[in-house]
Amino acid sequence: MKKPGILEGAALLTTIFFFGAMESGSFFAFLFLYLAPLPLFILGLKKDNQWCGLIGAVAALSLFFITTPQISIMFLVAIAAPTTFFCRKATSWTGPSKEGWYSLSNLAVFLIVPPIFFFVLLTAYYWVYGQGLSPLIVEKTNEIFDLYITALKGQGQNINPLLSQQLDGVKKSFSDTAPALIAIFWMSLIVLNGLIAQFILKKSKRNQRPSFAMSDVQIPRTFAVIFLSSLALASFSNGELGYLATNLTAILAFPVMLAGLGVVHIFANKTNYSGSILFVLYLIITFSRWAAVLVVLVGIADHFLKLRNKVEADNLQ
C-alpha cells in the first residue's frame, strides 16, 4: 500500500482549515465550510488512494483539540464519514464481474438517508420529551429574526409595515422548511464537491472513475411512488404530521431534481449552447425555488414518460 505523501498531508491541513474557519462567522468562513469536503473527495476519487477515511478521521481528531468537541463530531458525521462512503461507492464496480461502475442513481438516492435519519430522530425525540420540533424551530427562528431586526434598527433602518410584513413571510417560510433547507444544503455540498473533485482529477488525468454524468441519474419506480405518496400526505396534513411530511417531501425531492437535471443536460448537450444553457439554469435554480420545483416535475415526468429517451431520439443540431 502506498504511504501517505504531500497530497495527503495537504488535504489534511486544508480540510482542518476549511472546517475550522467557520468559527469566524464571515462570508469566507461560509465559503470555506462549503469546500471542506473537497480535499477528502480529491483523495477518495483519485487513482490508487486508500487514505480518504484515515485522513478524515485524523482531521476530526485534530479539530477536537484545535476547536471544540462539537465541531469535531459535526465534521466526522457531516463531512468525513459520508465523503468516505461516497468515494468508496463511486470508485467501486457493480459486482464481482465488474461489468460497470457503481450506479450514480443509487448514490443519488442514498443522499437522502442521513438527513432523513437525523430529522426523524430529532422529531421523535422532541415529540416524546418536548413540545415538538416545529415549535422549537419557530422559537429559535423568532429569536434570530428579533436579533436581526434589532441590528437593523441600530443602524438607523426604519422598519415600516411593508418591510415587517416581508420579514414575517421570510420567517414563516424558513421555520416551516428549516430541516429540509439544512438537508438540501448538505446534499448539495456533497454533490458539488464530488463533481469539482472529479473535474480537477480528470484535468490532471488522475481520476479513477471515467466520469460523473448527470444524465445517468434516474430514480427507481419504488422511490417515485414514495415521493408522490409523501407529497400527497404533505398536501392534506397539518400540525406536527404536516410539518414532518412537508420537510420529508422536500428532502425526497432532491434525487428527483437530480434526475430532472439529467434530462436538461441531455437536452443541452444536443445543442451548440450547452454551457450557456446549463449556466443559466443553475443560476436560476440557486435563486428561485420555483425553478427547482419545475426541474423536480421534469424528473417525475421523465420517470413515467421517459423524456430522456425522446430527447435523445430527437436531433436538435
Side-chain angles (χ1 to χ4, degrees):
M1 180 183 293
K2 181 183 176 182
K3 294 182 179 180
I6 297 176
L7 179 61
E8 286 74 19
L12 172 62
L13 295 176
T14 307
T15 300
I16 293 172
F17 172 73
F18 279 177
F19 200 79
M22 75 176 187
E23 283 194 313
S24 68
S26 65
F27 168 77
F28 287 105
F30 175 81
L31 178 62
F32 290 152
L33 171 63
Y34 209 86
L35 293 176
L38 182 59
L40 294 181
F41 266 113
I42 292 176
L43 285 184
L45 296 177
K46 85 181 191 71
K47 291 179 180 178
D48 303 322
N49 194 296
Q50 300 85 25
W51 296 105
C52 177
L54 180 60
I55 296 297
V58 173
L61 183 62
S62 302
L63 286 168
F64 182 89
F65 295 103
I66 297 173
T67 57
T68 64
Q70 291 83 357
I71 289 181
S72 174
I73 294 172
M74 285 173 56
F75 174 80
L76 184 63
V77 173
I79 303 295
T83 299
T84 302
F85 175 86
F86 279 104
C87 288
R88 287 185 179 273
K89 286 295 184 182
T91 55
S92 64
W93 300 94
T94 54
S97 58
K98 297 185 177 182
E99 296 176 354
W101 293 101
Y102 189 82
S103 169
L104 290 182
S105 299
N106 291 343
L107 282 176
V109 172
F110 180 80
L111 267 175
I112 67 172
V113 174
I116 286 181
F117 172 77
F118 285 108
F119 175 49
V120 172
L121 188 66
L122 285 173
T123 300
Y125 175 83
Y126 284 105
W127 182 73
V128 174
Y129 295 102
Q131 56 182 345
L133 183 60
S134 174
L136 176 66
I137 291 180
V138 170
E139 178 184 340
K140 296 301 180 183
T141 302
N142 288 335
E143 292 177 1
I144 293 172
F145 272 79
D146 288 344
L147 289 174
Y148 178 68
I149 292 173
T150 302
L152 288 178
K153 290 180 178 178
Q155 296 175 358
Q157 176 71 44
N158 180 31
I159 309 298
N160 56 51
L162 178 59
L163 179 58
S164 179
Q165 184 178 5
Q166 291 174 342
L167 289 174
D168 287 341
V170 173
K171 181 167 60 175
K172 185 179 186 310
S173 176
F174 177 80
S175 60
D176 287 345
T177 57
L181 292 175
I182 295 171
I184 291 169
F185 170 82
W186 177 82
M187 291 186 289
S188 64
L189 177 146
I190 295 296
V191 171
L192 181 61
N193 280 278
L195 293 176
I196 294 174
Q198 177 70 7
F199 175 80
I200 293 173
L201 292 170
K202 195 170 183 180
K203 286 295 183 181
S204 59
K205 298 181 179 180
R206 302 184 70 180
N207 55 304
Q208 182 168 337
R209 181 170 180 147
S211 65
F212 289 157
M214 189 71 72
S215 56
D216 291 341
V217 178
Q218 301 183 58
I219 56 173
R221 175 58 57 89
T222 303
F223 185 85
V225 172
I226 292 174
F227 170 70
L228 293 175
S229 301
S230 178
L231 179 62
L233 180 62
S235 302
F236 297 101
S237 303
N238 51 35
E240 281 297 305
L241 178 60
Y243 188 80
L244 176 65
T246 298
N247 283 277
L248 283 178
T249 302
I251 297 172
L252 289 168
F254 192 81
V256 185
M257 185 184 72
L258 294 181
L261 287 172
V263 176
V264 178
H265 272 253
I266 293 173
F267 171 81
N269 289 336
K270 300 197 71 167
T271 71
N272 296 322
Y273 312 99
S274 59
S276 300
I277 292 173
L278 294 176
F279 174 78
V280 172
L281 173 67
Y282 282 103
L283 186 65
I284 294 175
I285 290 176
T286 302
F287 296 101
S288 172
R289 72 172 71 180
W290 297 112
V293 170
L294 181 60
V295 176
V296 170
L297 293 177
V298 172
I300 284 292
D302 171 59
H303 178 78
F304 291 102
L305 302 178
K306 306 301 179 185
L307 293 181
R308 67 184 62 219
N309 294 341
K310 297 178 181 179
V311 173
E312 289 173 342
D314 292 335
N315 186 6
L316 300 178
Q317 296 291 347

